[in-house]
Each structure stands twice: as structure tokens, then as C-alpha cells.
Amino acid sequence: MNIPEGLKFTKEHEWVKEDNGICLVGITDFAQGELGDIIYLDVTAEPGTEVKLGETIGSIEAIKTVSEIFSPVSGKIVEVNTAVNDNPSVVNTDPYGAGWMLKIEPSSAGEFSALLDAESYKTLIGA
Amino acid sequence: MKKTAFYNIHKALGAKIVPFAGYEMPIQYEGIIAEHKTVRESVGVFDVSHMGEVEVRGKDAFDFVQRITTNDVSKLEKGDVQYSAMCLKNGGIVDDLLVYNLGDHYMLVINASNIDKDIKWMEENLSGDVTLKNISDETSLLAVQGKNSIHTLQKLTDTDLSAIEYYKFVQGKVAGQDVIISHTGYTGEKICFEIYSSSDVEKSEALWNAIFEAGKEYNIKPVGLGARDTLRLEYAFRLYGNDMDENYNTIEAGLGWITKPEKGEFNGKERILEAKANPGRKLVGFMLEDRMVARHGQEVYSGDTRIGVVTSGSLSPMLNKNIGLAYIDKGFNKIGTPIEILLRDKRLKAKVVKTPFLEG
């Protein structure tokens, strides 16, 4: 189970990485493993949309199931990784890299800091 | 929770195990799509030992099986397998099943989730000299499916497998064990075998290992229930509990081809004849234009009119399209009819298409 240090995590099994004031968001290795083969990423909130912490902003279609995507922080969506849908299996093979889902410009720094660190996320999933 | 004789093998292979019909079963090993393609392109092995097997013996066994099933058992010679259904008196489907004619008795192969219900129903319908024996727990069942299944298994048996036609079986030896070798399957592959053997763990593991050794050159792989579902759906094979249950009869379920009213009396005949004469809702295939998958239970619309319900849906790994089955009302179930599937807050555009989805 790959749980990189230095990333933040949500209880909904998303990871968040802050880079120059922008939050990069994806799903964790644990999440992709639980979902199985991912076949489509449907981020319904378009770039420019303001979203709130915990808001449903789309869904992940896996072959056997579907899972909602929740915004890990409040802010403005600045980019959605639409290229991932040319080869959605990259979310399974590279969830922390090419399989990223979206970028959000957070409206406050506090929400990001309050997310789980790698150690707490490990405890959460019993890894 | 029960375990099949192959449970330790599944664990060792790192399978994802889920509870299914009272068993701990492997849903996937490396991934559903990869396993699906293994079967379509070469050969894959499924542990389907959870399936139920019931022996029917006695001098009235033929009459009994003829009366509880919809297909015509008089056409079933020794060594033949027949796909059939059991219905309630009102035509509702109790289960779909395979009937094996072993000469001096029959073997009925039923769905794992229905074993107790089916046996109760059979017992209620007993008459004359008939005895039932549930041999599910003493039987292992491996499905070896795909074009290289024949080359794999031929190494392990003196029986000429090429002489066993589709939906026929022989009692022979595989890897030194007494088994039933059945040219059947649930994947749509034409070259496909199911091996019924002893559920003794040591023997079962030896059989599994022999098959994998023999299939090594074909890159044989284990396949879980997840891919079993996507494989069967590409051929529009119905799955009990998803695509049919006691609320539907065989005509509605598109199983008219295994329903033979001309054979004489059988459970559900009256209602089935009515359904044939006056068709209503029908299970049909659909294909989505969208990349979202339709799932079991979602409602189907035409404009503001609710016209049906989705029973199965998945990506077809071979077509790379989203496909599914749905019961659609009369007037909307002809091939080519545009339909909409309600998914959360949106409507997915789809079209009724002919099945099987995959040719061949």
C-alpha cells in the first residue's frame, strides 16, 4: 500500500498536495484498489466553479461500482484532468501521479492543514 | 461463511475475497478487465464450486425433471446437458439451471444463492419414485474457459476433448481424478469446459495445480467472479437475482427458447402460454452513448414515461462500450428504440440493441 509522506488525506480516500497555493487532488492507492478497474472520471464541476469542503463534485466509475468525489477543501476549481479519460486505468496504476483528478485554489489555508497526514491516514485504513 | 476447496489457493494468489451466496469467493485477482481479456484471448480458470449440484434418482426421475423444468427433458440423451429454468406455478422463475443426463440419473446444477430455496421447491414437487441428493458440498467445480482451454486440459486426460460437442459431457479422468468433463460455460466462449470433481481439498488443489501447470504455455490465469459477470454480459447471458427472479417469467426474461409448452404439463405453463400470446415487458439489451455505466435498479424512461428498469450494466471490455440489460415495457422494447436511463440527477442516452452484444 503506497501512502506517500508529505501528502494530506481525507476520510473519503482522496489525497491532496499543495504546490504554490494550488491543491492537487486525486484518489489514494487504497481507494483505487478498493474500486478496482477505473473506467471513467466524471468531474461535473467545471473549472472556475466555487466549491465547498465536502461538496460532491463528480464521480468515479469503476467497472463494478461508482464512487462520489468530494471536494477536500473549499475554493475554486482551476483544472480538471480530462486527459485521464483517454486511459482511465492510469488512476489504478499511478494514482498519485498521472492519475490526478483536479486542481483547486483553496479559499483558506486552514482546511488544508486540518486534513489527515500520512500517519493518520494509515491508521484510518488499518495499513 | 463457507469456503470452497480452493480458498487457500485464492488467498495465496492475493485474490480480493468477497462474501457471495454464503461463500467467501474471489471477485478478482489482477483486475477484472485483464482477467476478462485472458478468457477472450487464451484461457482462464474460475472456481465456481459454490454452485449447487443435486442428483435426481428413481424410476420417476424423468417425469419429475420434466414437470419442474421448462425445457424438454425428453430431448436430453445420456451425455447431454440442457439449459433450463424452474418456474413457480405462476410462471415466476425459481432458478435457471443445467440438467445433465447421466443415464441412470440426472444432475441439476443450480445457482449457489438458491440452493436451499430450490431444494425446498423440488421437495414440494416430489411425486412417485424420486429421490434427491444435494451433492453441492462434496463437489468442486472449475470452469476452464477460452480457446486454449482444450489444449490445456487435453494434456491431462486420455478423453478426446475435441469429440465432446458443445453442451455434452463425459465422465472421465483429468490429472488422474474421476471427474465430469462438460463442454459448457458461462463466458460466451465456444471452447469452454467445466470440470466437476471431488471437493476434497488435497485433490482439488492438485487438480488446480495440474491445470495451471498444463496451461503455463498459454499464460493461463485465474479469473474471479467480477470478470465472470462482464464476460457473461457481453453474451447477454442472464444472471439470476439480477436479470430474473420470481417476479418474471421465462418469456419476459427472453428465455422462450428454453420454454417448451408442447412437451406437456410443467410448472408455470399456463401463465407462460398467456405471456407468449400477449407479450408485455421484455428483457432486452441496450448500449449507452455515455461513458457512465448503467447499474442494476436504475429506471428507464422515454420522455416522461417510466418504461422499465436496468437489471445489469457494465463496460464491455471487448467493445469498450457501456452495455446492459433492462426490462422494457411493450411498445419500447424493439431494437433501435432510443431510451434514457435515470442516473442520479442525469439521464443517460441509450438505445435498445440486439444481443449478444459480442458476435460469434
Side-chain angles (χ1 to χ4, degrees):
Chain A
M1 187 76 58
N2 184 6
I3 304 172
E5 295 293 331
L7 298 185
K8 292 283 197 176
F9 300 88
T10 71
K11 287 179 180 162
E12 284 78 29
H13 310 289
E14 288 159 0
W15 58 264
V16 187
K17 181 181 173 186
E18 199 185 21
D19 190 15
N20 276 326
I22 300 292
C23 288
L24 187 64
V25 182
I27 63 165
T28 65
D29 189 30
F30 174 77
Q32 71 77 19
E34 290 295 302
L35 288 169
D37 289 309
I38 286 159
I39 56 177
Y40 189 61
L41 202 59
D42 184 42
V43 179
T44 45
E46 296 193 358
T49 315
E50 294 285 341
V51 294
K52 288 199 180 64
L53 171 75
E55 187 179 332
T56 302
I57 51 173
S59 59
I60 304 169
E61 288 281 342
I63 197 155
K64 290 307 285 181
T65 186
V66 62
S67 177
E68 291 190 311
I69 305 169
F70 302 98
S71 186
V73 292
S74 305
K76 187 169 76 178
I77 295 188
V78 291
E79 194 179 340
V80 172
N81 186 6
T82 48
V84 84
N85 282 328
D86 296 337
N87 178 23
S89 66
V90 75
V91 182
N92 293 112
T93 54
D94 191 10
Y96 298 109
W100 66 278
M101 298 191 297
L102 63 144
K103 291 178 185 171
I104 301 177
E105 188 183 332
S107 49
S108 77
E111 288 175 355
F112 174 77
S113 311
L115 296 172
L116 305 174
D117 60 14
E119 213 44 52
S120 312
Y121 184 66
K122 258 180 215 168
T123 309
L124 177 77
I125 62 173
Chain B
M1 202 64 71
K2 288 183 173 181
K3 296 179 170 81
T4 75
F6 304 102
Y7 179 80
N8 289 333
I9 289 182
H10 302 321
K11 279 299 237 193
L13 288 167
K16 189 188 282 186
I17 309 275
V18 298
F20 181 84
Y23 282 82
E24 291 193 55
M25 296 300 289
I27 189 157
Q28 67 169 59
Y29 302 83
E30 60 173 320
I32 292 173
I33 294 174
E35 291 164 32
H36 184 110
K37 289 181 175 170
T38 290
V39 173
R40 290 279 180 254
E41 288 160 11
S42 185
V43 53
V45 180
F46 307 71
D47 172 15
V48 282
S49 304
H50 59 313
M51 299 288 289
E53 294 86 11
V54 179
E55 287 180 351
V56 184
R57 294 176 186 272
K59 70 175 169 41
D60 298 316
F62 165 78
D63 290 333
F64 170 75
V65 180
Q66 187 74 322
R67 202 173 62 250
I68 61 161
T69 64
T70 59
N71 211 335
D72 187 355
V73 188
S74 73
K75 300 284 196 291
L76 198 66
E77 309 273 337
K78 183 183 176 191
D80 288 348
V81 190
Q82 187 179 64
Y83 182 56
S84 193
M86 273 197 301
C87 289
L88 297 170
K89 308 268 192 228
N90 71 9
I93 303 169
V94 177
D95 205 358
D96 63 329
L97 71 160
L98 291 176
V99 182
Y100 284 73
N101 184 343
L102 290 108
D104 63 344
H105 71 283
Y106 295 95
M107 178 173 75
L108 311 183
V109 182
I110 58 183
N111 281 296
S113 51
N114 289 340
I115 294 174
D116 294 343
K117 178 186 84 164
D118 287 1
I119 288 174
K120 187 164 171 281
W121 177 244
M122 289 180 210
E123 283 170 348
E124 282 171 26
N125 282 273
L126 277 183
S127 72
D129 175 24
V130 181
T131 53
L132 303 175
K133 189 180 176 200
N134 179 1
I135 58 164
S136 305
D137 288 346
E138 56 212 71
T139 309
S140 277
L141 177 56
L142 290 177
V144 187
Q145 307 275 300
K147 61 165 94 56
N148 286 319
S149 59
I150 190 165
H151 305 308
T152 299
L153 293 173
Q154 193 60 73
K155 292 184 189 175
L156 303 173
T157 181
D158 293 333
T159 303
D160 178 6
L161 299 180
S162 66
I164 311 174
E165 291 169 43
Y166 193 52
Y167 267 71
K168 293 195 185 285
F169 72 93
V170 297
Q171 289 168 287
K173 279 191 192 294
V174 169
Q177 296 186 31
D178 292 320
V179 298
I180 289 174
I181 310 168
S182 175
H183 188 163
T184 48
Y186 197 53
T187 58
E189 290 301 305
K190 288 290 166 291
I191 301 174
C192 54
F193 294 92
E194 291 178 304
I195 311 292
Y196 297 85
S197 64
S198 160
S199 68
D200 175 83
V201 172
E202 211 170 297
K203 283 183 174 176
S204 294
E205 289 184 347
L207 181 60
W208 174 287
N209 291 334
I211 292 170
F212 276 79
E213 186 59 35
K216 209 177 237 173
E217 63 174 299
Y218 309 110
N219 208 10
I220 195 167
K221 285 181 182 166
V223 185
L225 294 181
R228 184 169 164 85
D229 193 42
T230 55
L231 287 157
R232 66 95 191 166
L233 189 56
E234 283 185 332
Y235 280 84
F237 292 165
R238 281 82 171 122
L239 176 61
Y240 194 89
N242 276 45
D243 305 310
M244 53 194 172
D245 57 36
E246 292 179 3
N247 296 307
Y248 300 96
N249 62 53
T250 54
I251 303 304
E252 292 171 319
L255 296 177
W257 63 281
I258 58 163
T259 307
K260 305 288 167 58
E262 64 279 7
K263 75 174 182 174
E265 287 312 307
F266 62 94
N267 285 343
K269 180 179 176 180
E270 208 171 310
R271 178 69 198 96
I272 282 166
L273 284 173
E274 281 169 27
K276 255 187 130 165
N278 187 15
R281 63 186 178 181
K282 197 175 173 198
L283 192 67
V284 293
F286 64 82
M287 195 174 277
L288 287 154
E289 292 164 22
D290 209 283
R291 288 187 70 174
M292 310 293 282
V293 179
R295 313 273 179 186
H296 178 86
Q298 288 169 351
E299 297 186 317
V300 184
Y301 280 82
S302 172
D304 293 333
T305 314
R306 184 193 181 279
I307 57 166
V309 61
V310 173
T311 59
S312 287
S314 175
L315 174 78
S316 156
M318 303 315 284
L319 298 170
N320 206 25
K321 291 267 190 193
N322 287 322
I323 58 171
L325 298 172
Y327 279 100
I328 309 270
D329 290 344
K330 188 179 172 175
F332 299 94
N333 56 30
K334 292 252 171 352
I335 288 165
T337 310
I339 58 173
E340 290 181 334
I341 293 158
L342 189 64
L343 178 137
R344 297 183 287 278
D345 53 346
K346 52 175 132 181
R347 285 179 174 219
L348 308 180
K349 287 191 189 316
K351 198 183 269 187
V352 177
V353 297
K354 75 172 175 62
T355 54
F357 299 97
L358 219 54
E359 295 293 328

